Amino acid sequence: MIEFGKGEEFYELANADGKRWLVPRRSLGVAFCLYQPSGFRGKLLKRFYPLLHLSAVRRRLGVAVCHCQLNEDFAKLVGEAFGSAPTSFAAFFGTPCVHQKTTIQLCSSDRITGYAKTTPSADIAQLFAREQRILARLAELGMTGIPQIRFVGNVGGEHVMLQTTVKTRRSHTLHRWDALHQAFVDSLQSKSATTIAYETSDFAADVEFLKNNIVDLPDFSQESVSKAYADVARRYSGRQVEFMAYHADFTPWNMFVESGRLFVFDWEYARLTYPCGLDRYHFELQTAYFERHLEPCAVMEELRQQAWFSSSSCIDYLVSVVSLYLRREGKEIESNPMLKYWIELIKINLCK
């Protein structure tokens, strides 16, 4: 959807994790709304982004200069979907993984009109369709603070999804759990809660997938994971349980605050029938790992002091996240640095 070698001037940023961004030189302010760094250097760059106009700073940071523009057919589609043609854009080329995709922030006169996700992968295109169904169902249930999907389909051989946003240059991100996060998950629970047999839930399906494919996990993890899903089965099998919708990637980089309200996006891994409260475990453990760099014992010491914490719920979360990544990455999960982290957390919680 992006054509290189022509069009206006852009800066190309990259970090040590292999992530890449494109930001237009003439509208850095709104373009940096797409830039969601977790490291100190990236956060400093976001705060002082005008310094990128200095060639000495670009050289120091390894920032390249290039020219690019949106594909004509894609730009026309965007104009039809959002009611105004894009006058600028920024792009994030995704976190390196098997489900890597490009996210394009689309703007009209320095106003963010929406976002596009693009990929050549048919597998990722299925995630687009799934996210569309999940968001449609949540909208039916009356959930707010979520995107609307305006288009899912193929454009010039690329799979594309277009979605709305309320993001502005004034939007900000909260990196610690706040009353706004709690209000959002409380609303999600009140609108999506349903009591069903455990065996018919999305959670049970993911636990069963993990059980049936445990041989694809590396040897060091299999014993702990087996004990964990046995613990889940002992607590849930044969029971009627209240489940709720689960975002499954509830992190600061998938949400923002605008006008005092939380807006949450990237629902591609969401489930509709999962144990209540697991999104908070994901938020706390992801920020502990990526932003605060805490060891498993240290983060568990913190969490166990919280009134909302439960070792059983933490096991539910850890089983679900290992299942999700195993489904996504297959045997390649062995190279995921978080796997050992999750296994240590499982061991700690099984010893409760």
Side-chain angles (χ1 to χ4, degrees), residues 173-340:
T173 302
L174 298 171
H175 291 263
R176 295 289 185 270
W177 191 269
D178 181 270
L180 291 175
H181 300 107
Q182 193 61 51
F184 186 92
V185 296
D186 286 348
S187 177
L188 187 61
Q189 180 172 353
S190 69
K191 289 177 168 58
S192 66
T194 182
T195 300
I196 59 173
Y198 162 71
E199 287 74 12
T200 64
S201 67
D202 294 332
F203 181 53
D206 287 343
V207 173
E208 191 67 15
F209 175 86
L210 183 59
K211 180 179 179 180
N212 292 339
N213 294 276
I214 194 169
V215 294
D216 289 337
L217 289 175
D219 292 342
F220 76 84
S221 65
Q222 291 185 17
E223 181 180 358
S224 296
V225 171
S226 295
K227 290 179 179 178
Y229 66 60
D231 179 71
V232 170
R234 176 184 59 80
R235 289 185 284 109
Y236 285 103
S237 294
R239 291 182 52 204
Q240 295 284 314
V241 183
E242 181 180 276
F243 291 114
M244 64 173 286
Y246 171 53
H247 181 277
D249 201 8
F250 200 78
T251 59
W253 40 95
N254 285 332
M255 59 186 69
F256 59 85
V257 177
E258 173 61 35
S259 301
R261 299 189 66 184
L262 194 70
F263 188 91
V264 181
F265 52 94
D266 274 358
W267 291 80
E268 60 195 46
Y269 300 122
R271 303 289 193 263
L272 290 174
T273 48
Y274 245 65
C276 299
L278 298 197
D279 277 322
R280 179 154 194 183
Y281 290 88
H282 189 79
F283 184 99
E284 299 288 0
L285 293 175
Q286 290 279 303
T287 53
Y289 181 86
F290 285 107
E291 297 188 335
R292 297 196 289 152
H293 311 294
L294 294 181
E295 293 297 321
C297 288
V299 68
M300 289 311 306
E301 184 177 346
E302 280 191 4
L303 293 183
R304 283 175 167 169
Q305 297 175 21
Q306 305 301 314
W308 55 268
F309 177 78
S310 157
S311 286
S312 295
S313 294
C314 194
I315 287 291
D316 292 348
Y317 163 72
L318 292 165
V319 166
S320 73
V321 76
V322 173
S323 178
L324 185 153
Y325 275 77
L326 182 60
R327 188 188 297 272
R328 191 179 85 171
E329 300 175 6
K331 293 182 179 181
E332 297 300 314
I333 193 175
E334 184 171 6
S335 62
N336 189 312
M338 284 206 74
L339 181 60
K340 290 183 178 179

Side-chain angles (χ1 to χ4, degrees), residues 69-220:
Q69 65 184 24
L70 294 178
N71 171 276
E72 184 178 349
D73 290 339
F74 176 66
K76 180 179 179 181
L77 173 67
V78 169
E80 294 171 350
F82 297 116
S84 59
T87 57
S88 68
F89 71 95
F92 169 52
F93 293 101
T95 301
C97 66
V98 293
H99 283 173
Q100 187 171 358
K101 57 191 172 296
T102 298
T103 299
I104 304 174
Q105 177 178 276
L106 302 154
C107 300
S108 178
S109 301
D110 272 353
R111 179 178 63 87
I112 303 171
T113 54
Y115 288 89
K117 295 180 184 180
T118 75
T119 179
S121 166
D123 290 339
I124 301 177
Q126 292 181 9
L127 291 178
F128 292 172
R130 191 174 182 284
E131 184 170 4
Q132 181 182 36
R133 292 193 298 271
I134 292 285
L135 288 170
R137 177 57 182 155
L138 292 178
E140 288 174 3
L141 294 171
M143 194 64 197
T144 58
I146 60 176
Q148 298 175 5
I149 303 300
R150 291 290 174 84
F151 175 85
V152 174
N154 194 286
V155 181
E158 284 269 317
H159 303 284
V160 175
M161 180 172 73
L162 300 179
Q163 62 184 45
T164 62
T165 188
V166 297
K167 195 170 193 177
T168 70
R169 291 181 63 173
R170 295 183 300 275
S171 300
H172 64 281
T173 302
L174 298 171
H175 291 263
R176 295 289 185 270
W177 191 269
D178 181 270
L180 291 175
H181 300 107
Q182 193 61 51
F184 186 92
V185 296
D186 286 348
S187 177
L188 187 61
Q189 180 172 353
S190 69
K191 289 177 168 58
S192 66
T194 182
T195 300
I196 59 173
Y198 162 71
E199 287 74 12
T200 64
S201 67
D202 294 332
F203 181 53
D206 287 343
V207 173
E208 191 67 15
F209 175 86
L210 183 59
K211 180 179 179 180
N212 292 339
N213 294 276
I214 194 169
V215 294
D216 289 337
L217 289 175
D219 292 342
F220 76 84

